[in-house]
Amino acid sequence: ISRYSEMNIVFSEDIPEGARSAEELKKNIDISPSVDGDFILQNNHTVVFKPKTSFKRNTNYQVTVDIAAWFEKAKGKDKEFTFGFATMPFSIRSSFTSLDVSKGDENAYDITCTLMTSDKESPEEVENTVRLSEDVSTVQWQHSPDGKHHEIILRNVPSQDEARNLIVKVKKTDTPTEKLPVTVPAKNDFSIYDV
């Protein structure tokens, strides 16, 4: 799941009235590893856990609910209900979007690449993982509100006497480097680069 998700526990019966306070919910539901957050009773049989910030990335969690504290029927091995879930690891998929002749210089190009993340990521997190194989004078970013769609725009990339590959590298410590080669046409080259 996304590390920004809420966790829901839905019971087939209503939780007894005396056990519906936030303190009672917290006392009888254990999340491991522990997470700072709030238990809220959404309705009489649904408990929602909202993390204060988020769950940890790429982590397995185990939840144990002491149902015997709420339901007299719970006996023996059914006194506790245990389940697990995991949060998504950091991953980025990159793709080439467009190559346009620069408006200010007919011998330069504006290159746009798209980066898609598996979970919501901050602009700083994404920008810090991207490296270019050469210096580009103007680099602009656009990030979507959902934090999963990111565009990098390289402005005024000069053409040279020969065509070359500009490499966009995505590097993160827990994932291998992803490389996206973008061909920059040679100066005075006449070719179709987009349809």
Side-chain angles (χ1 to χ4, degrees):
I1 64 169
S2 166
R3 65 188 193 280
Y4 297 98
S5 297
E6 298 173 349
M7 182 193 72
N8 297 308
I9 304 171
V10 182
F11 294 95
S12 58
E13 298 179 23
D14 287 356
I15 296 170
E17 201 166 323
R20 295 177 186 173
S21 68
E23 294 78 23
E24 280 293 310
L25 297 174
K26 188 173 183 178
K27 184 173 83 175
N28 294 311
I29 301 173
D30 178 62
I31 302 174
S32 179
S34 65
V35 182
D36 194 21
D38 299 311
F39 287 98
I40 298 160
L41 193 67
Q42 191 173 61
N43 53 49
N44 292 344
H45 59 266
T46 304
V47 177
V48 178
F49 176 76
K50 295 184 177 183
K52 279 227 174 3
T53 52
S54 68
F55 292 105
K56 290 179 186 172
R57 176 188 285 125
N58 196 21
T59 303
N60 291 313
Y61 287 91
Q62 183 164 311
V63 181
T64 303
V65 184
D66 183 2
I67 54 177
W70 295 334
F71 304 105
E72 290 181 9
K73 300 180 200 181
K75 294 176 183 175
K77 63 177 184 176
D78 296 326
K79 286 183 178 180
E80 291 184 342
F81 174 65
T82 302
F83 67 95
F85 64 92
T87 53
M88 288 186 265
F90 182 93
S91 67
I92 289 185
R93 190 178 71 242
S94 57
S95 62
F96 169 74
T97 306
S98 67
L99 173 78
D100 298 305
V101 176
S102 176
K103 290 179 181 171
D105 183 355
E106 65 181 21
N107 289 314
Y109 295 94
D110 294 339
I111 299 168
T112 304
C113 298
T114 300
L115 304 170
M116 299 294 291
T117 55
S118 58
D119 200 359
K120 178 181 178 181
E121 302 293 347
S122 70
E124 298 78 24
E125 182 82 34
V126 174
E127 291 175 24
N128 287 335
T129 64
V130 173
R131 301 285 179 270
L132 304 174
S133 61
E134 60 183 77
D135 288 334
V136 175
S137 59
T138 306
V139 177
Q140 297 174 330
W141 284 92
Q142 293 180 352
H143 304 277
S144 67
D146 71 357
K148 292 182 178 182
H149 185 269
H150 315 268
E151 277 191 350
I152 182 171
I153 305 160
L154 313 174
R155 302 262 183 217
N156 300 315
V157 176
S159 58
Q160 298 175 354
D161 291 335
E162 293 184 9
R164 69 189 191 282
N165 275 340
L166 187 154
I167 309 292
V168 179
K169 300 176 191 172
V170 179
K171 177 68 177 135
K172 187 70 180 159
T173 54
D174 56 351
T175 59
T177 302
E178 180 173 327
K179 297 180 181 179
L180 176 67
V182 178
T183 302
V184 181
K187 199 179 288 186
N188 300 320
D189 178 34
F190 181 80
S191 58
I192 295 172
Y193 58 86
D194 194 16
V195 175

